[in-house]
Amino acid sequence: MSYRKFSLMPLLLVFCLSGCAVQSAGQEQNKLMEEDQPVAAPAAEDPLVVYQANLVEGYQPILSEMETATRYRIEIEIADSISTVSGQQEVLYTNNEEVALQEIYFRLFPNGSGPYMTVSNLNVDGEPVQVVLDHHNTAMRVELPTELQPGQSVSISMSFDQTVPTEMGGNYGLYVYLDDILSLDQFIPIIPVFNNEGWNVEDPPVNADMLFSDEAFFDVQVSAPPQLVLAGSGVEVNTTVKDGKQVVRYVGGPQRDFFLAASPLFQSASRKVGDTKITSYYLEEYRDGGMLVLETAGHALESYNQRFGLYPYTELDLISTPMNAGGMEYSSAASLSLYYYNPDHNLGNLTFLESVAAHEIAHQWFFNQIMSDQIEEPWLDESLVQYATYLYYVDRYGENNAEGFVDSWYQRWDNVDMASMPIGLPAAAYNEDEYGPIVYGRGPLFFAELEQQIGEDNFNELLRDYTDEYRWGIATGADFKTLAEETCACDLTPLFDQWVYQ
Ligand SMILES: [Zn+2]
């Protein structure tokens, strides 16, 4: 769904992680009066105020418009073995849809590549509910005892346990503990988008990224062995030591997910662009790659800030992790293939590393700020992000030097003999050999063609308007086409038919 503002009754839901009951502001006030406290109860502290630390100043006012976005409050414990992770979470969900809901889904993505995650102690407003798994255990259906009407809220709590694989499995091996690095890719039980198709739950496809979620707030306390260097979405607001473990609290939002990585071997280096602190996490022996990523990120952020609107957060983390892909985007973070950093590895390649870093950072706009259905329309963020990466090269090195990156699109597309397959199909419509060449190779060439047709000024205006109009929401290919046609005051159906849909 698109994020919408709802004028709710003031409702204060109290979070606690041990199955507490929900308390309304009215109940809270009665309690105060019984205890003979001052009659004028103090205004409840805005529960979103803590997220100001995560947002650069210009974006902080958005918090007052996001009171009904989903709030995740999570406690994570990483065991001494590091590959065992347990958690408890309490989710405050408000029905921002136009219809009553009888059930709410959570995605359990770690189960997409094996039986790595279980959920227990599921409660709805403090009452126990049965755990029902669906779609090969990658989705959990939570039946609500009573229908949740539009505007109403519900509190759902659960415990979860995870055994992280120690060798690479499905989904590009992103969820893994390997080479002394723990990478917790999409490990939080997360509520998918509800739209005119209902709940967006399906078996994760082989090709595409899986996440399709609304903007939400994440308050995550991580307890971990003290030797681990942690890197996560959002910002650290508090660090303590308890029972010999480090306890770090992260807050982040509005954002799409929460990512966490950890390693005793991580080194880090930081720099600032405006009010954003960029940190590169890398292994000591691959310092050259770590510094290259930091340098690239600085230039990319400056370029995209100018072109697509200011990056919203006070932090951006770029983390070297083992994977079978080049990189993976997360909210206010990205992971980049450990092997690209390593000159002795057959994949070691700092040129690739630079392009992947610039690509994943562009996803901070086209994925995190504007979400699209990555399974139904993977082109809308991936092909556009490929084009944005080209713009990074143009801004940093000039148009002539950026042509090398354009060549890489043709090389990819040539892997399917430059077949004129539409770029706008669902991920599952491409076989494994077609997906990359079409979406990442032919896809950005469509955006080049679009720029050619509507002119550079219109094209730049379009990308700026697209982020302004859909920031924190969800866009479709049809939305993008409509906006493009408004921008150029022209009919783009023939162009879209030639490239996108056919
Ligand atoms: Zn991408």
Side-chain angles (χ1 to χ4, degrees):
M1 50 147 270
S2 294
Y3 181 76
R4 284 191 306 279
K5 197 170 152 182
F6 245 93
S7 53
L8 272 185
M9 286 185 312
L11 181 72
L12 175 69
L13 285 167
V14 180
F15 277 122
C16 63
L17 293 170
S18 49
C20 71
V22 177
Q23 215 173 22
S24 73
Q27 286 170 324
E28 178 69 16
Q29 193 164 350
N30 287 343
K31 183 163 163 276
L32 285 171
M33 288 170 73
E34 280 162 20
E35 289 169 11
D36 208 19
Q37 297 287 321
V39 175
E45 192 199 341
D46 179 351
L48 295 183
V49 85
V50 68
Y51 296 96
Q52 282 182 1
N54 175 58
L55 292 167
V56 298
E57 202 177 350
Y59 285 96
Q60 291 173 5
I62 193 72
L63 294 173
S64 64
E65 298 174 23
M66 291 210 159
E67 285 166 359
T68 63
T70 303
R71 294 177 212 168
Y72 295 83
R73 186 146 179 175
I74 307 167
E75 286 182 4
I76 304 291
E77 181 166 1
I78 300 172
D80 290 339
S81 68
I82 303 181
S83 62
T84 305
V85 174
S86 57
Q88 291 180 292
Q89 78 171 6
E90 176 128 1
V91 183
L92 174 60
Y93 175 83
T94 300
N95 182 357
N96 286 323
E97 311 305 330
E98 285 158 1
V99 296
L101 298 173
Q102 291 175 329
E103 59 195 12
I104 293 173
Y105 272 91
F106 286 80
R107 296 313 312 255
L108 311 179
F109 287 122
N111 287 339
S113 40
Y116 298 127
M117 181 174 194
T118 57
V119 173
S120 57
N121 299 326
L122 181 62
N123 283 266
V124 175
D125 285 340
E127 295 296 323
V129 177
Q130 201 188 345
V131 174
V132 180
L133 300 183
D134 222 338
H135 295 280
H136 298 94
N137 302 332
T138 63
M140 177 173 70
R141 189 172 74 245
V142 180
E143 301 279 354
L144 301 175
T146 53
E147 272 194 345
L148 191 68
Q149 300 300 321
Q152 281 186 336
S153 300
V154 66
S155 171
I156 302 171
S157 63
M158 68 195 73
S159 306
F160 55 84
D161 291 285
Q162 306 187 17
T163 308
V164 184
T166 51
E167 53 188 51
M168 282 191 207
N171 190 29
Y172 304 100
L174 289 161
Y175 174 76
V176 75
Y177 175 53
L178 187 63
D179 299 330
D180 279 326
I181 298 172
L182 177 68
S183 171
L184 295 174
D185 167 80
Q186 294 175 2
F187 73 118
I188 302 286
I190 199 164
I191 300 177
V193 167
F194 182 95
N195 59 13
N196 54 8
E197 298 166 11
W199 287 107
N200 278 262
V201 282
E202 57 269 286
D203 289 322
V206 180
N207 293 321
D209 298 343
M210 303 178 296
L211 187 70
F212 187 34
S213 60
D214 291 308
E215 288 291 349
F217 293 95
F218 295 81
D219 186 338
V220 185
Q221 184 172 290
V222 181
S223 167
Q227 75 275 19
L228 293 182
V229 176
L230 303 173
S233 297
V235 292
E236 293 178 30
V237 289
N238 193 23
T239 303
T240 55
V241 176
K242 192 180 172 197
D243 301 332
K245 286 196 154 187
Q246 57 175 325
V247 181
V248 183
R249 182 184 175 199
Y250 293 89
V251 296
Q255 64 192 35
R256 305 291 172 177
D257 64 4
F258 180 82
F259 175 69
L260 187 69
S263 174
L265 306 178
F266 279 151
Q267 304 282 313
S268 69
S270 300
R271 65 179 286 185
K272 278 196 105 174
V273 169
D275 292 328
T276 298
K277 180 183 166 194
I278 305 168
T279 304
S280 170
Y281 293 88
Y282 54 90
L283 305 189
E284 188 173 13
E285 58 268 41
Y286 309 141
R287 186 173 184 280
D288 287 353
M291 300 313 288
L292 174 88
V293 166
L294 187 64
E295 178 83 9
T296 302
H299 286 281
L301 215 57
E302 282 169 3
S303 169
Y304 303 152
N305 278 347
Q306 281 289 327
R307 289 180 173 274
F308 315 136
L310 193 63
Y311 176 76
Y313 306 122
T314 51
E315 284 192 17
L316 172 63
D317 291 339
L318 301 153
I319 308 151
S320 175
T321 71
M323 65 176 76
N324 279 328
M328 182 65 192
E329 67 274 21
Y330 303 101
S331 293
S332 77
S335 58
L336 306 170
S337 171
L338 174 68
Y339 310 122
Y340 286 173
Y341 292 68
N342 178 358
D344 298 327
H345 195 280
N346 61 352
L347 294 174
N349 190 321
L350 294 187
T351 304
F352 285 173
L353 185 60
E354 178 178 359
S355 70
V356 167
H359 174 107
E360 303 308 337
I361 292 166
H363 274 303
Q364 293 302 319
W365 282 262
F366 311 112
F367 156 81
N368 183 60
Q369 292 178 61
I370 305 174
M371 175 58 85
S372 49
D373 189 333
Q374 302 193 95
I375 292 172
E376 285 296 316
E377 298 189 299
W379 73 281
L380 188 55
D381 69 338
E382 292 302 345
S383 303
L384 178 52
V385 158
Q386 282 287 78
Y387 198 77
T389 306
Y390 163 71
L391 297 174
Y392 153 82
Y393 281 106
V394 169
D395 290 347
R396 186 166 178 191
Y397 301 108
E399 247 173 66
N400 286 343
N401 293 319
E403 284 305 307
F405 188 63
V406 173
D407 290 344
S408 76
W409 302 339
Y410 283 103
Q411 284 162 16
R412 288 188 88 153
W413 188 20
D414 201 29
N415 288 330
V416 288
D417 298 326
M418 300 197 186
S420 58
M421 271 187 100
I423 65 167
L425 302 180
Y430 301 105
N431 66 36
E432 275 182 83
D433 295 334
E434 292 163 344
Y435 179 71
I438 297 298
V439 174
Y440 294 77
R442 187 176 191 235
L445 290 163
F446 160 73
F447 285 95
E449 196 66 28
L450 175 64
E451 178 170 3
Q452 185 80 17
Q453 185 151 337
I454 69 177
E456 189 180 350
D457 289 348
N458 274 339
F459 185 79
N460 290 338
E461 186 186 323
L462 168 62
L463 294 187
R464 186 63 189 246
D465 288 351
Y466 181 55
T467 44
D468 280 350
E469 187 157 336
Y470 291 99
R471 181 178 286 119
W472 311 128
I474 285 164
T476 64
D479 292 330
F480 184 82
K481 177 171 181 279
T482 300
L483 196 62
E485 289 179 326
E486 281 171 16
T487 307
C488 67
C490 63
D491 177 12
L492 293 171
T493 299
L495 183 73
F496 273 73
D497 282 350
Q498 187 190 341
W499 287 85
V500 184
Y501 301 120
Q502 283 176 357

